[in-house]
Amino acid sequence: MPRPSQMLRTTRASLDDAILGRLHDTRPTQRTECRHVDNAILKGRRRSRPPEEARSLFRAAYRGEVAALHVLIESGADVNLGCSSGDTALHIAADCNHVQVVRRLLECPSINVNVVSTTAGSALHVASHRGHVAIMVLILRHPDTNVNITMPGNSPGTLGCSYTPLCLAVQQGHEAAVAVLLREAATDPNVDIHVGLRPLHIAAFNGYTSIIARLLQRHDIDRGARAQSNLTPLQVAQVAEHPDHGAIEQLFLEADLAKTSIEGDTLSMQCR
């Protein structure tokens, strides 16, 4: 994906600092990629070594050992134990895409699916950022899941930002993950990430045509939302000068026509 600095070709050099400097890198900083977990979690952090019970849970979650996890749970292990940053076994399993481990953890009556760590947000944030759709579906089925849960920016460039799982899925270009989240009626497609920027701005800036199309299908999407720069999502796409900006403009035009048609039909029915 081109860096935003390479894409900006107008005198509106700011295009909102949040797009250029803050939203380019919304990745959770914790992520182990499932290869550093032994040093980062299983062996404990220098300043805060997790108790043995937590390390056993983390190890089973990291390795995908459902049987070992089941034994730990049946013996009374606290599945909500976290490491120094707050990551739990559910975070690790979601990160490593261990579907059966996530399923077993979610079966625990005491599981807190909305634990937000300082580096990765909730388990739904992790799965959405990774594009682990099967994990997302399982988490979203849990009755306590907050689909609009936010995680704060955790670096100097992202302070003041507030990311939902949808924001991360859009930023990373995971269309399937975006589709799963948008199917949830409770998902807010107009969440203000920072300085008025919405998921549609981010999709437009990155030129994610298919994701733009999915966002525009939501009846409650605010197509004309303006960021602090006073730019709408369509204007952001125009400023970014994507090769397929014509296709993006067509999507917005079709969305406007569809809404006008629906409003016209509604008015006609009311007048009868």
Side-chain angles (χ1 to χ4, degrees):
M1 180 181 71
R3 294 185 64 85
S5 58
Q6 297 172 328
M7 296 163 57
L8 187 64
R9 301 187 181 93
T10 76
T11 55
R12 294 199 186 193
S14 63
L15 190 57
D16 289 311
D17 291 338
I19 290 180
L20 291 177
R22 302 175 183 180
L23 293 179
H24 173 64
D25 186 5
T26 60
R27 294 186 298 274
T29 58
Q30 169 256 2
R31 291 340 318 151
T32 62
E33 298 287 352
C34 291
R35 64 174 180 268
H36 300 310
V37 70
D38 283 321
N39 291 327
I41 296 178
L42 300 183
K43 294 182 180 179
R45 300 178 187 273
R46 293 181 180 178
R47 289 177 293 180
S48 180
R49 182 181 176 86
E52 181 58 37
E53 181 182 61
R55 293 201 304 275
S56 296
L57 283 168
F58 298 160
R59 184 178 296 109
Y62 163 62
R63 295 176 177 173
E65 298 173 344
V66 181
L69 180 70
H70 179 75
V71 170
L72 289 166
I73 292 173
E74 290 300 307
S75 64
D78 182 358
V79 293
N80 295 315
L81 288 172
C83 64
S84 60
S85 63
D87 295 322
T88 67
L90 187 59
H91 286 84
I92 297 170
D95 187 31
C96 296
N97 204 22
H98 292 319
V99 176
Q100 295 308 318
V101 171
V102 169
R103 188 189 305 277
R104 181 64 186 90
L105 286 167
L106 292 175
E107 290 174 352
C108 298
S110 62
I111 190 73
N112 182 352
V113 295
N114 297 315
V115 172
V116 176
S117 76
T118 59
T119 54
S122 68
L124 184 57
H125 279 103
V126 174
S128 299
H129 170 260
R130 292 299 192 196
H132 294 165
V133 174
I135 301 289
M136 294 173 62
V137 170
L138 288 176
I139 295 174
L140 287 169
R141 286 176 182 169
H142 195 282
D144 296 336
T145 296
N146 179 1
V147 69
N148 295 312
I149 192 169
T150 60
M151 63 172 288
N154 49 32
S155 64
T158 62
L159 296 180
C161 297
S162 183
Y163 310 115
T164 65
L166 178 63
C167 298
L168 295 185
V170 169
Q171 173 66 15
Q172 297 304 314
H174 296 313
E175 182 185 354
V178 170
V180 167
L181 291 166
L182 290 178
R183 282 203 299 265
E184 298 293 316
T187 297
D188 181 4
N190 300 310
V191 59
D192 186 341
I193 303 167
H194 191 56
V195 296
L197 289 161
R198 317 296 173 86
L200 193 53
H201 284 93
I202 308 309
F205 183 75
N206 287 297
Y208 295 150
T209 308
S210 58
I211 290 179
I212 292 171
R214 289 192 177 276
L215 286 166
L216 290 175
Q217 289 172 2
R218 278 287 295 249
H219 72 279
D220 52 346
I221 193 75
D222 186 355
R223 301 187 303 283
R226 293 185 180 274
Q228 186 171 284
S229 61
N230 203 36
L231 293 174
T232 66
L234 178 56
Q235 290 171 329
V236 166
Q238 293 168 337
V239 168
E241 296 183 349
H242 293 291
D244 57 349
H245 71 273
I248 295 176
E249 291 178 1
Q250 184 63 30
L251 287 173
F252 277 88
L253 176 60
E254 292 174 355
D256 287 338
L257 291 174
K259 183 176 182 181
T260 300
S261 176
I262 292 173
E263 291 176 345
D265 292 343
T266 301
L267 181 61
S268 176
M269 291 180 65
Q270 291 175 345
C271 293
R272 290 178 182 176

